[in-house]
mmCIF file of all heavy atoms in Angstrom:
data_model
loop_
_atom_site.group_PDB
_atom_site.id
_atom_site.type_symbol
_atom_site.label_atom_id
_atom_site.label_comp_id
_atom_site.label_asym_id
_atom_site.label_seq_id
_atom_site.Cartn_x
_atom_site.Cartn_y
_atom_site.Cartn_z
ATOM 1 N N TRP A 35 157.552 23.244 28.279
ATOM 2 C CA TRP A 35 158.298 24.352 28.401
ATOM 3 C C TRP A 35 157.438 25.566 28.913
ATOM 4 O O TRP A 35 156.628 26.126 28.145
ATOM 5 C CB TRP A 35 158.992 24.724 27.026
ATOM 6 C CG TRP A 35 159.897 25.889 27.040
ATOM 7 C CD1 TRP A 35 159.746 26.984 26.291
ATOM 8 C CD2 TRP A 35 161.061 26.035 27.760
ATOM 9 N NE1 TRP A 35 160.741 27.902 26.564
ATOM 10 C CE2 TRP A 35 161.613 27.344 27.356
ATOM 11 C CE3 TRP A 35 161.759 25.282 28.637
ATOM 12 C CZ2 TRP A 35 162.827 27.854 27.942
ATOM 13 C CZ3 TRP A 35 162.985 25.762 29.172
ATOM 14 C CH2 TRP A 35 163.455 27.004 28.883
ATOM 15 N N PHE A 62 160.287 21.270 22.496
ATOM 16 C CA PHE A 62 159.935 22.385 23.417
ATOM 17 C C PHE A 62 158.385 22.568 23.187
ATOM 18 O O PHE A 62 157.997 23.134 22.166
ATOM 19 C CB PHE A 62 160.660 23.666 23.167
ATOM 20 C CG PHE A 62 162.113 23.699 23.620
ATOM 21 C CD1 PHE A 62 163.094 23.066 22.843
ATOM 22 C CD2 PHE A 62 162.406 24.176 24.875
ATOM 23 C CE1 PHE A 62 164.420 23.056 23.336
ATOM 24 C CE2 PHE A 62 163.697 24.187 25.329
ATOM 25 C CZ PHE A 62 164.712 23.571 24.523
ATOM 26 N N ASN A 63 157.610 22.081 24.116
ATOM 27 C CA ASN A 63 156.106 22.210 23.976
ATOM 28 C C ASN A 63 155.641 23.341 24.846
ATOM 29 O O ASN A 63 155.839 23.366 26.046
ATOM 30 C CB ASN A 63 155.426 20.869 24.445
ATOM 31 C CG ASN A 63 155.796 19.727 23.525
ATOM 32 O OD1 ASN A 63 155.983 19.862 22.356
ATOM 33 N ND2 ASN A 63 155.928 18.490 24.086
ATOM 34 N N PHE A 64 155.023 24.295 24.207
ATOM 35 C CA PHE A 64 154.511 25.458 24.919
ATOM 36 C C PHE A 64 153.329 26.100 24.238
ATOM 37 O O PHE A 64 153.045 25.782 23.038
ATOM 38 C CB PHE A 64 155.652 26.522 25.106
ATOM 39 C CG PHE A 64 156.297 26.974 23.804
ATOM 40 C CD1 PHE A 64 155.822 28.120 23.077
ATOM 41 C CD2 PHE A 64 157.422 26.356 23.234
ATOM 42 C CE1 PHE A 64 156.331 28.532 21.881
ATOM 43 C CE2 PHE A 64 157.998 26.771 22.119
ATOM 44 C CZ PHE A 64 157.456 27.838 21.410
ATOM 45 N N ALA A 65 152.669 26.993 24.902
ATOM 46 C CA ALA A 65 151.561 27.745 24.257
ATOM 47 C C ALA A 65 152.073 28.825 23.406
ATOM 48 O O ALA A 65 152.729 29.819 23.917
ATOM 49 C CB ALA A 65 150.653 28.307 25.405
ATOM 50 N N VAL A 66 151.929 28.764 22.147
ATOM 51 C CA VAL A 66 152.450 29.760 21.214
ATOM 52 C C VAL A 66 151.834 31.083 21.546
ATOM 53 O O VAL A 66 150.665 31.214 21.810
ATOM 54 C CB VAL A 66 152.148 29.366 19.763
ATOM 55 C CG1 VAL A 66 152.557 30.529 18.754
ATOM 56 C CG2 VAL A 66 152.825 28.109 19.412
ATOM 57 N N GLY A 67 152.627 32.102 21.571
ATOM 58 C CA GLY A 67 152.140 33.469 22.012
ATOM 59 C C GLY A 67 152.291 33.750 23.474
ATOM 60 O O GLY A 67 152.152 34.896 23.941
ATOM 61 N N GLU A 68 152.494 32.703 24.280
ATOM 62 C CA GLU A 68 152.657 32.830 25.692
ATOM 63 C C GLU A 68 154.106 32.450 26.205
ATOM 64 O O GLU A 68 154.516 32.768 27.312
ATOM 65 C CB GLU A 68 151.679 31.970 26.451
ATOM 66 C CG GLU A 68 150.245 32.413 26.179
ATOM 67 C CD GLU A 68 149.249 31.500 26.933
ATOM 68 O OE1 GLU A 68 149.640 30.796 27.835
ATOM 69 O OE2 GLU A 68 148.088 31.447 26.481
ATOM 70 N N GLN A 69 154.825 31.814 25.304
ATOM 71 C CA GLN A 69 156.165 31.353 25.575
ATOM 72 C C GLN A 69 156.944 31.412 24.325
ATOM 73 O O GLN A 69 156.404 31.546 23.228
ATOM 74 C CB GLN A 69 156.304 29.881 26.116
ATOM 75 C CG GLN A 69 155.229 29.441 27.025
ATOM 76 C CD GLN A 69 155.412 29.988 28.448
ATOM 77 O OE1 GLN A 69 156.515 30.340 28.831
ATOM 78 N NE2 GLN A 69 154.313 30.107 29.195
ATOM 79 N N ASP A 70 158.298 31.299 24.419
ATOM 80 C CA ASP A 70 159.119 31.140 23.207
ATOM 81 C C ASP A 70 160.332 30.438 23.657
ATOM 82 O O ASP A 70 160.516 30.095 24.870
ATOM 83 C CB ASP A 70 159.452 32.432 22.521
ATOM 84 C CG ASP A 70 160.111 33.493 23.389
ATOM 85 O OD1 ASP A 70 160.769 33.148 24.362
ATOM 86 O OD2 ASP A 70 159.979 34.704 23.072
ATOM 87 N N VAL A 71 161.308 30.132 22.735
ATOM 88 C CA VAL A 71 162.533 29.410 22.981
ATOM 89 C C VAL A 71 163.632 30.369 22.550
ATOM 90 O O VAL A 71 163.686 30.645 21.332
ATOM 91 C CB VAL A 71 162.609 28.117 22.314
ATOM 92 C CG1 VAL A 71 163.979 27.416 22.519
ATOM 93 C CG2 VAL A 71 161.497 27.128 22.836
ATOM 94 N N ALA A 72 164.423 30.854 23.435
ATOM 95 C CA ALA A 72 165.504 31.786 23.030
ATOM 96 C C ALA A 72 166.851 31.181 23.397
ATOM 97 O O ALA A 72 167.087 30.798 24.527
ATOM 98 C CB ALA A 72 165.300 33.157 23.781
ATOM 99 N N LEU A 73 167.766 31.157 22.445
ATOM 100 C CA LEU A 73 169.130 30.861 22.692
ATOM 101 C C LEU A 73 169.892 32.185 23.060
ATOM 102 O O LEU A 73 169.824 33.125 22.394
ATOM 103 C CB LEU A 73 169.819 30.322 21.457
ATOM 104 C CG LEU A 73 169.224 28.901 20.929
ATOM 105 C CD1 LEU A 73 169.736 28.601 19.569
ATOM 106 C CD2 LEU A 73 169.647 27.860 21.951
ATOM 107 N N PRO A 87 168.792 38.265 22.392
ATOM 108 C CA PRO A 87 169.078 36.808 22.276
ATOM 109 C C PRO A 87 169.780 36.456 20.946
ATOM 110 O O PRO A 87 169.732 37.337 19.997
ATOM 111 C CB PRO A 87 167.627 36.238 22.303
ATOM 112 C CG PRO A 87 166.802 37.273 21.815
ATOM 113 C CD PRO A 87 167.462 38.591 22.319
ATOM 114 N N PHE A 89 169.040 33.840 19.040
ATOM 115 C CA PHE A 89 167.912 33.461 18.224
ATOM 116 C C PHE A 89 166.643 33.335 19.117
ATOM 117 O O PHE A 89 166.749 32.998 20.223
ATOM 118 C CB PHE A 89 168.039 32.150 17.541
ATOM 119 C CG PHE A 89 169.101 32.091 16.422
ATOM 120 C CD1 PHE A 89 170.191 31.341 16.549
ATOM 121 C CD2 PHE A 89 168.879 32.835 15.240
ATOM 122 C CE1 PHE A 89 171.129 31.332 15.542
ATOM 123 C CE2 PHE A 89 169.818 32.824 14.238
ATOM 124 C CZ PHE A 89 170.946 32.002 14.433
ATOM 125 N N VAL A 90 165.476 33.676 18.575
ATOM 126 C CA VAL A 90 164.265 33.403 19.227
ATOM 127 C C VAL A 90 163.387 32.531 18.301
ATOM 128 O O VAL A 90 163.162 32.816 17.125
ATOM 129 C CB VAL A 90 163.485 34.727 19.546
ATOM 130 C CG1 VAL A 90 162.144 34.388 20.140
ATOM 131 C CG2 VAL A 90 164.300 35.563 20.438
ATOM 132 N N PHE A 91 162.936 31.370 18.852
ATOM 133 C CA PHE A 91 162.105 30.454 18.088
ATOM 134 C C PHE A 91 160.677 30.583 18.665
ATOM 135 O O PHE A 91 160.510 30.407 19.897
ATOM 136 C CB PHE A 91 162.574 28.971 18.233
ATOM 137 C CG PHE A 91 163.942 28.828 17.748
ATOM 138 C CD1 PHE A 91 164.992 28.792 18.628
ATOM 139 C CD2 PHE A 91 164.239 28.607 16.482
ATOM 140 C CE1 PHE A 91 166.293 28.598 18.225
ATOM 141 C CE2 PHE A 91 165.481 28.335 15.948
ATOM 142 C CZ PHE A 91 166.513 28.349 16.856
ATOM 143 N N GLN A 92 159.708 30.887 17.900
ATOM 144 C CA GLN A 92 158.365 31.172 18.413
ATOM 145 C C GLN A 92 157.374 29.994 17.990
ATOM 146 O O GLN A 92 156.214 30.135 18.298
ATOM 147 C CB GLN A 92 157.809 32.482 17.772
ATOM 148 C CG GLN A 92 158.708 33.626 18.336
ATOM 149 C CD GLN A 92 158.252 35.028 17.769
ATOM 150 O OE1 GLN A 92 157.632 35.065 16.766
ATOM 151 N NE2 GLN A 92 158.650 36.034 18.498
ATOM 152 N N LYS A 93 157.899 28.906 17.474
ATOM 153 C CA LYS A 93 157.193 27.810 17.111
ATOM 154 C C LYS A 93 157.406 26.651 18.088
ATOM 155 O O LYS A 93 158.578 26.428 18.532
ATOM 156 C CB LYS A 93 157.498 27.267 15.736
ATOM 157 C CG LYS A 93 157.152 28.157 14.551
ATOM 158 C CD LYS A 93 157.469 27.500 13.300
ATOM 159 C CE LYS A 93 157.112 28.412 12.102
ATOM 160 N NZ LYS A 93 157.516 27.730 10.789
ATOM 161 N N THR A 94 156.403 25.931 18.557
ATOM 162 C CA THR A 94 156.544 24.821 19.341
ATOM 163 C C THR A 94 157.010 23.664 18.423
ATOM 164 O O THR A 94 156.644 23.627 17.276
ATOM 165 C CB THR A 94 155.178 24.467 20.043
ATOM 166 O OG1 THR A 94 155.473 23.382 20.965
ATOM 167 C CG2 THR A 94 154.086 24.126 19.184
ATOM 168 N N GLY A 95 157.771 22.739 18.913
ATOM 169 C CA GLY A 95 158.204 21.626 18.197
ATOM 170 C C GLY A 95 159.591 21.208 18.612
ATOM 171 O O GLY A 95 160.078 21.486 19.682
ATOM 172 N N GLY A 96 160.279 20.484 17.703
ATOM 173 C CA GLY A 96 161.519 19.924 18.019
ATOM 174 C C GLY A 96 162.666 20.746 17.427
ATOM 175 O O GLY A 96 162.566 21.400 16.471
ATOM 176 N N TYR A 97 163.794 20.723 18.118
ATOM 177 C CA TYR A 97 164.978 21.409 17.732
ATOM 178 C C TYR A 97 166.113 20.432 17.829
ATOM 179 O O TYR A 97 166.361 19.824 18.868
ATOM 180 C CB TYR A 97 165.251 22.648 18.586
ATOM 181 C CG TYR A 97 164.090 23.574 18.474
ATOM 182 C CD1 TYR A 97 163.047 23.472 19.334
ATOM 183 C CD2 TYR A 97 164.113 24.556 17.571
ATOM 184 C CE1 TYR A 97 161.929 24.377 19.195
ATOM 185 C CE2 TYR A 97 163.105 25.453 17.412
ATOM 186 C CZ TYR A 97 161.942 25.350 18.254
ATOM 187 O OH TYR A 97 160.944 26.235 18.100
ATOM 188 N N THR A 108 166.312 30.096 27.198
ATOM 189 C CA THR A 108 165.408 30.666 28.131
ATOM 190 C C THR A 108 164.191 31.201 27.289
ATOM 191 O O THR A 108 164.058 30.857 26.168
ATOM 192 C CB THR A 108 166.034 31.803 28.903
ATOM 193 O OG1 THR A 108 165.163 32.234 29.956
ATOM 194 C CG2 THR A 108 166.432 32.971 28.019
ATOM 195 N N CYS A 109 163.302 31.876 27.979
ATOM 196 C CA CYS A 109 162.126 32.416 27.431
ATOM 197 C C CYS A 109 162.254 33.974 27.459
ATOM 198 O O CYS A 109 162.693 34.500 28.454
ATOM 199 C CB CYS A 109 160.827 31.942 28.147
ATOM 200 S SG CYS A 109 159.326 32.713 27.507
ATOM 201 N N THR A 110 161.888 34.668 26.413
ATOM 202 C CA THR A 110 162.041 36.139 26.411
ATOM 203 C C THR A 110 160.836 36.880 27.058
ATOM 204 O O THR A 110 160.904 38.125 27.215
ATOM 205 C CB THR A 110 162.240 36.670 24.977
ATOM 206 O OG1 THR A 110 161.033 36.387 24.233
ATOM 207 C CG2 THR A 110 163.454 36.051 24.332
ATOM 208 N N PHE A 111 159.733 36.179 27.360
ATOM 209 C CA PHE A 111 158.614 36.876 27.970
ATOM 210 C C PHE A 111 158.992 37.427 29.363
ATOM 211 O O PHE A 111 159.677 36.731 30.112
ATOM 212 C CB PHE A 111 157.411 35.966 28.017
ATOM 213 C CG PHE A 111 156.724 35.722 26.739
ATOM 214 C CD1 PHE A 111 157.362 35.065 25.662
ATOM 215 C CD2 PHE A 111 155.466 36.343 26.431
ATOM 216 C CE1 PHE A 111 156.761 34.912 24.398
ATOM 217 C CE2 PHE A 111 154.847 36.110 25.213
ATOM 218 C CZ PHE A 111 155.562 35.395 24.242
ATOM 219 N N PHE A 154 165.318 23.701 13.526
ATOM 220 C CA PHE A 154 163.915 23.373 13.870
ATOM 221 C C PHE A 154 163.518 22.179 13.012
ATOM 222 O O PHE A 154 163.801 22.055 11.805
ATOM 223 C CB PHE A 154 163.002 24.587 13.528
ATOM 224 C CG PHE A 154 161.539 24.288 13.760
ATOM 225 C CD1 PHE A 154 161.017 24.263 15.025
ATOM 226 C CD2 PHE A 154 160.659 24.044 12.660
ATOM 227 C CE1 PHE A 154 159.759 23.970 15.276
ATOM 228 C CE2 PHE A 154 159.394 23.761 12.860
ATOM 229 C CZ PHE A 154 158.887 23.715 14.200
ATOM 230 N N VAL A 168 166.242 27.250 10.021
ATOM 231 C CA VAL A 168 165.991 27.969 11.260
ATOM 232 C C VAL A 168 165.202 29.245 10.889
ATOM 233 O O VAL A 168 165.582 29.935 9.981
ATOM 234 C CB VAL A 168 167.306 28.248 11.981
ATOM 235 C CG1 VAL A 168 167.002 29.168 13.161
ATOM 236 C CG2 VAL A 168 168.027 27.063 12.393
ATOM 237 N N THR A 169 164.233 29.511 11.707
ATOM 238 C CA THR A 169 163.491 30.826 11.679
ATOM 239 C C THR A 169 164.135 31.739 12.540
ATOM 240 O O THR A 169 164.107 31.543 13.771
ATOM 241 C CB THR A 169 161.994 30.572 11.975
ATOM 242 O OG1 THR A 169 161.461 29.657 11.025
ATOM 243 C CG2 THR A 169 161.292 31.899 11.859
ATOM 244 N N MET A 170 164.778 32.749 12.060
ATOM 245 C CA MET A 170 165.520 33.679 12.959
ATOM 246 C C MET A 170 164.610 34.894 13.100
ATOM 247 O O MET A 170 164.170 35.479 12.187
ATOM 248 C CB MET A 170 166.859 34.144 12.321
ATOM 249 C CG MET A 170 167.786 33.056 12.119
ATOM 250 S SD MET A 170 169.417 33.449 11.606
ATOM 251 C CE MET A 170 169.184 34.814 10.484
ATOM 252 N N LYS A 171 164.395 35.296 14.361
ATOM 253 C CA LYS A 171 163.561 36.452 14.602
ATOM 254 C C LYS A 171 164.070 37.011 15.960
ATOM 255 O O LYS A 171 163.905 36.405 16.962
ATOM 256 C CB LYS A 171 162.067 36.082 14.728
ATOM 257 C CG LYS A 171 161.233 37.306 14.865
ATOM 258 C CD LYS A 171 159.763 37.012 14.602
ATOM 259 C CE LYS A 171 158.974 38.286 14.742
ATOM 260 N NZ LYS A 171 157.651 38.170 14.216
ATOM 261 N N SER A 172 164.665 38.132 15.934
ATOM 262 C CA SER A 172 165.067 38.764 17.194
ATOM 263 C C SER A 172 164.098 39.779 17.701
ATOM 264 O O SER A 172 163.272 40.284 16.833
ATOM 265 C CB SER A 172 166.485 39.384 16.963
ATOM 266 O OG SER A 172 166.460 40.302 15.986
ATOM 267 N N LEU A 173 164.152 40.082 18.934
ATOM 268 C CA LEU A 173 163.254 41.121 19.477
ATOM 269 C C LEU A 173 163.578 42.519 19.120
ATOM 270 O O LEU A 173 164.724 42.775 18.878
ATOM 271 C CB LEU A 173 163.155 40.968 20.931
ATOM 272 C CG LEU A 173 162.640 39.559 21.424
ATOM 273 C CD1 LEU A 173 162.707 39.525 22.984
ATOM 274 C CD2 LEU A 173 161.230 39.313 20.917
#
Side-chain angles (χ1 to χ4, degrees):
W35 182 242
F62 285 84
N63 296 327
F64 58 89
V66 175
E68 295 177 21
Q69 319 287 334
D70 59 22
V71 175
L73 293 169
F89 289 117
V90 177
F91 301 97
Q92 297 178 337
K93 292 182 180 180
T94 187
Y97 298 88
T108 189
C109 177
T110 64
F111 284 69
F154 177 74
V168 171
T169 302
M170 299 186 325
K171 184 168 185 167
S172 59
L173 299 176

